[in-house]
Amino acid sequence: MTARDAETPDTDDLRGRFQQQARSGLADDRARKARGARIALAAFSTLASVVPLTVVAVGLNAGVGMGIWVAVCALATVAGVGAATLALRGRTRWGFAVFFVAFQLAALGDLLSKRLLQ
């Protein structure tokens, strides 16, 4: 046994000191942040599911014929609802990925509908 080994505390001593620390607020803060992230993602995902429906309504009112853009917007709506569901169930990583797909599909549907207007 060297002099350095005599100076270092053993594992049980370190574990005991760590467990004596009052860090209950740390777990509460983490849970609060996770809940906030779920709610924010669910709100944005809901918005991502409503926007394509608005694009379809505006496009059809403007006299644009039905086409592939309506199907793309419908897929965006379904993906937005799926992202909101995943977010509310606590699957924020998957929810964000599906939200991104919904956002891109909505943008594509809007782009396709504007090309048909010209």
Side-chain angles (χ1 to χ4, degrees), residues 81-107:
V81 169
T85 303
L86 285 169
L88 291 176
R89 290 184 175 206
R91 304 290 185 192
T92 52
R93 290 180 188 166
W94 282 102
F96 183 73
V98 175
F99 165 74
F100 185 72
V101 169
F103 182 78
Q104 292 301 316
L105 285 172

Side-chain angles (χ1 to χ4, degrees), residues 6-73:
E7 293 175 5
T8 58
D10 63 342
T11 307
D12 294 333
D13 185 39
L14 286 174
R15 185 178 296 123
R17 281 193 272 165
F18 178 74
Q19 290 173 347
Q20 288 176 357
Q21 293 177 351
R23 302 289 300 236
S24 63
L26 184 65
D28 294 338
D29 186 45
R30 187 171 180 180
R32 189 174 16 259
K33 285 182 182 179
R35 185 170 188 263
R38 287 192 306 268
I39 290 172
L41 182 58
F44 282 117
S45 298
T46 302
L47 182 66
S49 64
V50 170
V51 168
L53 292 177
T54 306
V55 169
V56 169
V58 169
L60 292 178
N61 272 345
V64 177
M66 292 188 65
I68 191 71
W69 69 275
V70 176
V72 171
C73 287

